[in-house]
Amino acid sequence: LFDFDYTLCDSSEGIIMSYQHVLHSHGYHDVSNDTIRLTIGKTLVDSFSIMTGVTDKDTLQQWHEEYVRFADTCMTQHTYFFPETKDVLLQLKEKGTHLGIISTKYAYRITRFMEQHFPTGFFDIVVGIESVKEPKPSPEGLLLAVRHVGEPLNRVLYLGDNVIDAQTARDARVDFCGILHGPTSKQDLEPYPHVALLPD
């Protein structure tokens, strides 16, 4: 079971475009792209709050909706596989491995991208932000995927790139493998239970 952003794919280009579109339209011109990259993996509402200091729920929800509308126009074409991703997924599938994705991205957006590259149904399950009541680091989405594939917890490996993913795996009581494609360092992940921390 995999996280999506910075684990299987790099959609940071589309994410940054979408955040900056909303931020600029509300007068926030000083949020750097690097600051945005550091929020990838968090919910949209949390990320906007971190970037701007705004805590008003209605405002943050409005920005969330503006982001989604803009991202619908550009995200898929600005999302890219990491070099090894497709080959690894194909090899796992050939061996009969259950495959799933658990992300704070919308499931429909992930599915739209993946179906351009893999047959429909290639993944056993895609769990997005709209699939759960509590996003990661709550283990809800990961446990939903585990139940769906019908494997015991000790036969599940969750791969992700950041501390939120490590916390999610820990709280779900499944093995975790850190993938260091993103801005989260090996040192950041080392305190959390893991079977490996790998560069790709």
Side-chain angles (χ1 to χ4, degrees), residues 131-144:
S131 312
V132 295
K133 293 180 181 177
E134 295 291 335
K136 297 185 292 186
S138 163
E140 179 188 349
L142 181 50
L143 291 173
L144 173 65

Side-chain angles (χ1 to χ4, degrees), residues 103-110 126-133:
S103 176
T104 52
K105 219 178 189 72
Y106 279 94
Y108 77 85
R109 200 184 305 289
I110 295 170
V126 176
V127 178
I129 189 72
E130 75 273 43
S131 312
V132 295
K133 293 180 181 177

Side-chain angles (χ1 to χ4, degrees), residues 8 19-20 27 34 42 47 71-72 76 81-82 86 95 98 100 108-109 130 135 141 150 170 178 188 198:
L8 293 176
Y19 274 122
Q20 292 291 20
D34 285 339
K42 300 181 187 298
S47 297
D72 281 343
T76 298
F81 285 111
F82 289 109
K86 290 179 77 172
K95 293 179 180 181
H98 291 299
Y108 77 85
R109 200 184 305 289
E130 75 273 43
R170 178 196 64 195
D188 292 331
L198 305 175

